């Protein structure tokens, strides 16, 4: 009898471990190997032309992204799934030595926009963002950190890196009574979100659907309920922010939750 109890206890430990591993991926996001691409710039000297964008972040200054931003080509944008991902980029002096800034500096940028293809131009002469080219259209001030203005376009090396953000994940409530559209910004770690769930104080956890960019929607009436959020990034890690919006929350407000370790 005692041996049977021990065996059942051992099995329960295994099942609990499996469930735990499904629920949480330990550690921190480590990024990816270096790869090759090209980079151009847009948005003007003050980067005002980079505001808004296909990821839905709006004013990149007030959202904390500043000028350290990039529009990604089709090959990198992944239909918006890459919004929020962070990259380290350096000018490839072995290919464009005369245009690269001395010292081979690197920059850190967040994906905030989409660089659309231009099929009227060839891939190697104006159609820089045409598939299958990996390409970064950088905010002009950050491009000038690695290369000269006259270059126009330069060969670069890039890799995914952990996003380092100040403070917690921000959840901005938009919509109306029957339509909750939540903009999620300032995500650390992998940065790019693959799944979001929402919970009212009177509901169970409910999956949200991606509306566009990093705007996630729920069609459940949640007015008058405290709100919790669960966010999963592309590396499989999940973080939960419990009751961060009080029962008297209003559309247009932003609430700050927990963030991923870096």
């Amino acid at each position: 009898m005692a041996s049977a109890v021990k065996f059942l206890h051992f099995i329960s430990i295994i099942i609990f471990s499996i469930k735990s591993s499904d629920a949480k991926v330990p550690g921190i996001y480590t990024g990816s190997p270096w790869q090759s691409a090209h980079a151009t710039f847009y948005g003007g000297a003050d980067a005002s032309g980079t505001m808004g964008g296909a990821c839905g972040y709006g004013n990149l200054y007030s959202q904390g992204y500043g000028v350290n931003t990039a529009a990604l080509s089709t090959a990198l944008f992944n239909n918006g799934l890459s919004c929020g991902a962070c990259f380290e980029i350096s000018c490839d002096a072995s290919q464009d030595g005369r245009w690269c800034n001395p010292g081979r500096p690197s920059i850190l940028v967040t994906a905030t926009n989409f660089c659309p293809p231009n099929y009227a131009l060839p891939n190697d002469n104006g159609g820089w963002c045409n598939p299958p080219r990996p390409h970064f259209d950088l905010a002009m001030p950050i491009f000038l950190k690695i290369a000269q203005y006259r270059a126009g376009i330069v060969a670069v090396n890039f890799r995914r890196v952990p996003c380092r953000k100040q403070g917690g994940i921000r959840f901005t409530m938009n919509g109306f009574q029957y339509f909750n559209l939540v903009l999620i910004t300032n995500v650390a770690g992998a940065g790019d979100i693959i799944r979001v769930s929402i919970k009212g104080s009177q509901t169970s956890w409910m999956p949200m659907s991606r509306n566009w960019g990093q705007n996630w929607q729920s069609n459940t009436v949640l007015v008058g309920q405290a709100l919790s959020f669960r966010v999963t990034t592309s590396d499989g890690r999940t973080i939960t922010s419990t009751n961060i919006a009080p029962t008297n929350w209003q559309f247009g407000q932003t609430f700050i939750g927990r963030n991923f370790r870096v």
Side-chain angles (χ1 to χ4, degrees):
M1 182 67 178
S3 60
V5 171
K6 289 182 179 179
F7 176 77
L8 290 174
H9 178 66
F10 175 72
I11 292 297
S12 68
I13 291 175
I14 293 176
I15 293 173
F16 176 77
S17 299
I18 292 172
K19 287 183 177 179
S20 297
S21 65
D22 287 343
K24 183 178 181 181
V25 179
I28 60 176
Y29 181 69
T30 55
S32 70
W34 287 97
Q35 302 174 65
S36 298
H38 285 81
T40 49
F41 59 86
Y42 78 116
D46 61 355
S48 59
T50 66
M51 300 298 119
C55 292
Y57 293 140
N59 188 318
L60 300 177
Y61 291 124
S62 62
Q63 294 290 6
Y65 298 106
V67 300
N68 289 54
T69 62
L72 306 186
S73 65
T74 301
L76 297 173
F77 192 64
N78 197 18
N79 291 320
L81 292 175
S82 295
C83 288
C86 295
F87 299 86
E88 181 178 9
I89 302 173
S90 63
C91 188
D92 188 348
S94 67
Q95 296 189 58
D96 282 316
R98 65 174 177 153
W99 301 122
C100 295
N101 288 342
R104 301 184 65 183
S106 65
I107 55 174
L108 300 176
V109 299
T110 302
T112 60
N113 203 355
F114 174 53
C115 180
N118 183 353
Y119 295 113
L121 297 174
N123 292 10
D124 58 353
N125 188 17
W128 310 126
C129 290
N130 294 351
R133 288 177 63 97
H135 189 90
F136 296 88
D137 204 11
L138 301 171
M140 181 176 167
I142 201 67
F143 176 90
L144 296 179
K145 297 285 187 182
I146 60 170
Q148 299 177 43
Y149 176 87
R150 289 183 300 164
I153 180 172
V154 292
V156 296
N157 296 310
F158 76 96
R159 63 177 177 174
R160 282 281 303 273
V161 293
C163 297
R164 300 180 182 276
K165 304 298 182 183
Q166 296 294 319
I169 298 176
R170 299 182 190 131
F171 301 86
T172 300
M173 304 297 300
N174 296 302
F176 50 89
Q177 185 176 7
Y178 297 96
F179 178 67
N180 306 289
L181 188 66
V182 183
L183 172 62
I184 304 177
T185 59
N186 203 53
V187 181
D192 51 342
I193 302 169
I194 60 170
R195 188 164 55 253
V196 179
S197 297
I198 190 170
K199 181 184 182 302
S201 50
Q202 300 171 27
T203 73
S204 57
W205 283 104
M206 301 173 290
M208 303 187 76
S209 59
R210 184 191 299 272
N211 186 289
W212 66 284
Q214 287 299 3
N215 286 280
W216 295 75
Q217 75 176 66
S218 167
N219 296 326
T220 302
V221 178
L222 295 170
V223 174
Q225 300 185 48
L227 302 181
S228 304
F229 296 91
R230 182 169 289 160
V231 174
T232 302
T233 46
S234 63
D235 59 347
R237 293 179 172 85
T238 299
I239 197 163
T240 301
S241 300
T242 304
N243 294 330
I244 59 169
T247 55
N248 63 343
W249 65 267
Q250 301 291 319
F251 289 108
Q253 291 182 311
T254 297
F255 301 96
I256 300 177
R258 300 174 59 211
N259 218 331
F260 294 93
R261 280 193 309 123
V262 176

